[in-house]
C-alpha cells in the first residue's frame, strides 16, 4: 500500500528566502507525482506534475524534482513571498489504476 | 480548460437529513470522477471512484449505503450523504479525469456542516 510522507509538517520563513519542501513515497512504481497548493477552505490548485520518466519540472519560481528509485520528490520555491503562504500537498499516482495518494501536507507561512 | 465545479460551496443541514453535492466537469467529458473527504488539518482521503454509467467503487471503510454516488453522465456526478450526522461534517472535494488526460482536475470543494 502506497504511503506518502511530507516533511516538514509546517514551515515559517521570512519573505525572500528560498525553501525546500520534501515528499517521500514507499512504492516506487508510480505513474506520476503532483504538487498542489491549497488555501484555507479552498480546493486544490495544481502546481507541477512530473511523469515517472521525468526528473524535474519548473514553473516560474517553482521547481519540482523526482527521484523515483529513492522514492523522493522536492518542491523548491525561490524568493518566497507572503502570497506563497498555503498548504502544499504532494500526491502520487500508481502505475495501476488512476488513484491519487496524498501526503498530509506542509503548511507554509511566509512572513513579510 | 479542464474546469470542475461543485455545488453548493457550503451547506448546513440538520442531523438525520440527507444532502446532495454536485460535481460537474464544465469543458470536458469526465469518464472518471473521484470523491475525497478532508477533515480539518488533515489531508485528502479518497472515498470512492466512479466511472460514467457504472457503480462507484468505494474505498475500504467508506459506507456505500451512506454515501451514495451517481455518475449518470459524462459531465455530472453527485454525492448524497444520507442520514447525515455531525461526524460527517467535513470538506468534500471532487475531481475528474478523462481518457488521455494525465491528471485529475479538482473542484473547489463543498463544506458540509451537520448540526
Amino acid at each position: 500500500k502506497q504511503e506518502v510522507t511530507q516533511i516538514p509538517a509546517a514551515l515559517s520563513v521570512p519573505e525572500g528566502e528560498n525553501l525546500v519542501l520534501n515528499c517521500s513515497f514507499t512504492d516506487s512504481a508510480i505513474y506520476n507525482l503532483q504538487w498542489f497548493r491549497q488555501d484555507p477552505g479552498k480546493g486544490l490548485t495544481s502546481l507541477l506534475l512530473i511523469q515517472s520518466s521525468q526528473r524535474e519540472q519548473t514553473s516560474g519560481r517553482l521547481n519540482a524534482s523526482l527521484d523515483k528509485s529513492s522514492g523522493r520528490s522536492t518542491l523548491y520555491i525561490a524568493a518566497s513571498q507572503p502570497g506563497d503562504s498555503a498548504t502544499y500537498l504532494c500526491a502520487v499516482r500508481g502505475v495501476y489504476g488512476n488513484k491519487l495518494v496524498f501526503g498530509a501536507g506542509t503548511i507554509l507561512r511566509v512572513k513579510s | 480548460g479542464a474546469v470542475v465545479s461543485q455545488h453548493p460551496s457550503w451547506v448546513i443541514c440538520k442531523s438525520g437529513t440527507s444532502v446532495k453535492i454536485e460535481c460537474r466537469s464544465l469543458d470536458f467529458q469526465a469518464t472518471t470522477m473521484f470523491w475525497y473527504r478532508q477533515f480539518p488539518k488533515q489531508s485528502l482521503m479518497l472515498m470512492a471512484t466512479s466511472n460514467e454509467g457504472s457503480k462507484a467503487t468505494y474505498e475500504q471503510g467508506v459506507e456505500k449505503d451512506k454515501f451514495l454516488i451517481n455518475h449518470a453522465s459524462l459531465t455530472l456526478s453527485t454525492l448524497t450523504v444520507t442520514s447525515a450526522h455531525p461526524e460527517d461534517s467535513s470538506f468534500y472535494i471532487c475531481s475528474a479525469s478523462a481518457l488521455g488526460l494525465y491528471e485529475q482536475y479538482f473542484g473547489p470543494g463543498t463544506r458540509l456542516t451537520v448540526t
Side-chain angles (χ1 to χ4, degrees):
Chain A
K1 177 185 174 185
Q2 180 71 273
E3 294 183 359
V4 180
T5 303
Q6 290 187 245
I7 294 173
L11 184 61
S12 182
V13 299
E15 182 177 6
E17 270 203 11
N18 303 323
L19 53 98
V20 175
L21 307 181
N22 297 289
C23 171
S24 62
F25 45 96
T26 54
D27 186 351
S28 61
I30 66 169
Y31 184 75
N32 60 37
L33 181 145
Q34 201 164 357
W35 284 92
F36 294 90
R37 168 186 173 138
Q38 185 177 30
D39 293 291
K42 304 293 185 182
L44 303 183
T45 300
S46 178
L47 298 174
L48 291 164
L49 183 148
I50 311 176
Q51 299 294 349
S52 62
S53 58
Q54 298 174 322
R55 298 284 297 188
E56 66 177 345
Q57 283 285 340
T58 298
S59 176
R61 294 182 295 110
L62 306 179
N63 175 277
S65 67
L66 173 65
D67 185 342
K68 195 173 69 166
S69 60
S70 67
R72 295 180 182 179
S73 176
T74 60
L75 178 66
Y76 176 82
I77 302 177
S80 58
Q81 303 171 357
D84 294 330
S85 299
T87 297
Y88 290 80
L89 295 165
C90 165
V92 298
R93 175 181 167 181
V95 294
Y96 303 109
N98 49 11
K99 296 181 186 179
L100 287 178
V101 178
F102 282 84
T106 293
I107 301 171
L108 173 65
R109 180 185 172 211
V110 181
K111 299 172 288 187
S112 57
Chain B
V3 178
V4 176
S5 70
Q6 280 185 243
H7 178 80
S9 56
W10 59 271
V11 58
I12 301 173
C13 70
K14 292 188 176 181
S15 186
T17 62
S18 296
V19 61
K20 180 185 287 187
I21 302 170
E22 293 185 349
C23 176
R24 293 181 185 273
S25 57
L26 299 184
D27 51 4
F28 67 101
Q29 294 185 323
T31 50
T32 306
M33 286 187 169
F34 305 83
W35 287 96
Y36 296 85
R37 181 167 52 183
Q38 185 179 33
F39 291 109
K41 300 189 185 301
Q42 296 186 26
S43 192
L44 279 74
M45 296 299 294
L46 180 65
M47 299 175 66
T49 303
S50 72
N51 293 301
E52 185 265 338
S54 303
K55 289 185 178 180
T57 301
Y58 291 80
E59 295 299 299
Q60 192 172 9
V62 177
E63 300 174 58
K64 61 180 67 176
D65 294 331
K66 181 170 184 64
F67 299 99
L68 302 179
I69 292 173
N70 183 283
H71 189 173
S73 79
L74 286 171
T75 58
L76 173 65
S77 176
T78 61
L79 167 67
T80 302
V81 183
T82 62
S83 187
H85 291 285
E87 56 265 31
D88 298 323
S89 299
S90 187
F91 193 54
Y92 292 86
I93 304 178
C94 74
S95 70
S97 69
L99 291 176
L101 294 181
Y102 290 125
E103 59 185 292
Q104 297 177 22
Y105 296 91
F106 284 80
T110 296
R111 171 75 58 193
L112 170 63
T113 301
V114 185
T115 61

